[in-house]
């Protein structure tokens, strides 16, 4: 998906709904099994072709975890790794939900948040939380409603779509 947007620019509302609907179906399957993806971003949405139709596929469950994990059993994927003496996030902060950035428990709502970020990106080519400073990006997430509307208004995205995405990007995962 990242290559498509880089080459073609913003996507139509129809294409955005088509891709996000497929991602919702994939996430419903994963969440039904108790799996949280934790790294949903444009680079992890791939396309297979059947004739002229491009079928979106959710890829890279490398840092996925069982949502039922309540303690580190040594078998779940970690959120961070030490590389060359530096602690690095194993997920992509630009697309991550606030609870993930804060090191709090993740849930299906975490993936919904990331998917909403992807949908805004598809409709506007703007990654609304792409900050070099993770703390600044975390603070911006408290104002996601304004950022969604600011990114989408110039593209004549219907208000109902903006409202839906703003709801999916609520700071509190219980409200998404």
């Amino acid at each position: 998906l990242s290559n498509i947007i880089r080459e073609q620019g913003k996507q139509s509302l129809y294409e955005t709904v088509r891709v996000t609907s497929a991602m919702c179906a994939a996430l419903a399957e994963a969440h039904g099994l108790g799996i949280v993806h934790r790294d949903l971003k444009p680079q992890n949405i791939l396309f297979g072709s059947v004739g002229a139709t491009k079928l979106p596929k959710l890829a890279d469950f490398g840092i996925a975890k069982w949502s039922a994990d309540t303690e580190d059993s040594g078998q779940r994927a970690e959120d961070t790794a030490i590389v060359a003496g530096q602690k690095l996030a194993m997920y992509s902060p630009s697309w991550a939900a606030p609870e993930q950035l804060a090191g709090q428990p993740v849930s299906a709502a975490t993936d919904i948040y990331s998917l909403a970020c992807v949908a805004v990106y598809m409709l506007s080519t703007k990654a609304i939380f792409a900050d070099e400073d993770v703390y600044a990006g975390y603070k911006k997430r408290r104002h996601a409603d304004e950022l969604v509307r600011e990114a989408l208004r110039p593209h004549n995205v219907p208000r109902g779509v903006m409202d839906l995405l703003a709801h999916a990007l609520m700071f509190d995962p219980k409200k998404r």
Side-chain angles (χ1 to χ4, degrees):
L1 181 60
S2 60
N3 289 343
I4 289 171
I5 293 171
R6 186 173 40 254
E7 293 167 9
Q8 299 175 5
K10 75 180 188 78
Q11 301 297 293
S12 69
L13 181 58
Y14 173 83
E15 182 63 6
T16 301
V17 169
R18 188 180 82 80
V19 171
T20 56
S21 293
M23 293 305 99
C24 284
L27 289 172
E29 183 86 14
H31 295 160
L33 295 170
I35 299 169
V36 180
H37 188 280
R38 300 192 316 161
D39 198 24
L40 207 150
K41 59 186 177 181
Q43 295 86 341
N44 287 341
I45 299 174
L46 307 179
F47 291 87
S49 294
V50 175
T53 305
K54 296 182 305 180
L55 299 174
K57 304 288 182 183
L58 181 57
D60 194 359
F61 281 76
I63 66 163
K65 73 171 280 208
W66 293 102
S67 60
D69 284 352
T70 55
E71 60 186 65
D72 187 357
S73 64
Q75 299 198 7
R76 72 175 189 88
E78 292 300 320
D79 294 333
T80 59
I82 305 297
V83 178
Q86 297 276 342
K87 188 174 184 180
L88 298 176
M90 296 300 290
Y91 54 88
S92 302
S94 295
W95 309 99
E99 64 272 15
Q100 192 171 13
L101 292 174
Q104 297 169 346
V106 296
S107 67
T110 305
D111 287 341
I112 296 303
Y113 191 98
S114 298
L115 182 57
C117 288
V118 170
V120 171
Y121 181 64
M122 289 182 72
L123 291 166
S124 69
T125 71
K126 183 173 182 180
I128 57 176
F129 301 121
D131 291 295
E132 296 211 12
D133 178 358
V134 175
Y135 181 71
Y138 180 82
K139 283 177 40 178
K140 279 175 68 175
R141 282 162 171 77
R142 291 197 179 276
H143 308 286
D145 184 13
E146 299 163 26
L147 295 171
V148 166
R149 293 176 198 292
E150 183 181 296
L152 298 180
R153 197 172 288 119
H155 303 287
N156 298 316
V157 174
R159 182 176 179 186
V161 173
M162 286 193 268
D163 291 345
L164 175 72
L165 292 172
H167 187 81
L169 289 168
M170 293 191 78
F171 193 84
D172 182 349
K174 294 179 190 123
K175 294 182 179 178
R176 288 183 207 136

